[in-house]
Amino acid sequence: MGAKQKARELLDKFSNECLLTRSGGKIAALIAVDEMIEFLVNASEYLAFPEQIKYWQEVKKYISYE
């Protein structure tokens, strides 16, 4: 799934399933993505995840634009 599609999917899930406004869903989605990036950065001390980190950074960028 592309980063833009993933961003929209996360926004929809947090907005609809968590009964949040679109701006509340955006904040929740950004928090979730930040957590994923942090996990991958910390895990990269042991394994390399540069492509996954780049992907989630792209997702974050698209969420911010929505």
Side-chain angles (χ1 to χ4, degrees):
M1 176 180 295
K4 189 172 188 175
Q5 292 170 308
K6 188 62 169 180
R8 286 190 178 150
E9 177 188 22
L10 286 171
L11 281 169
D12 289 343
K13 280 185 178 182
F14 281 106
S15 297
N16 298 330
E17 293 181 26
C18 296
L19 302 175
L20 297 172
T21 63
R22 191 69 169 176
S23 62
K26 184 181 210 178
I27 292 167
L30 287 170
I31 290 169
V33 170
D34 282 339
E35 288 293 318
M36 180 57 90
I37 292 170
E38 182 180 347
F39 170 79
L40 290 169
V41 167
N42 290 335
S44 69
E45 292 177 20
Y46 308 102
L47 301 168
F49 295 108
E51 291 301 314
Q52 290 86 353
I53 293 169
K54 182 179 176 185
Y55 171 79
W56 286 105
Q57 288 170 335
E58 285 283 309
V59 171
K60 184 176 178 178
K61 178 179 75 173
Y62 285 117
I63 291 171
S64 297
Y65 291 150
E66 289 286 326

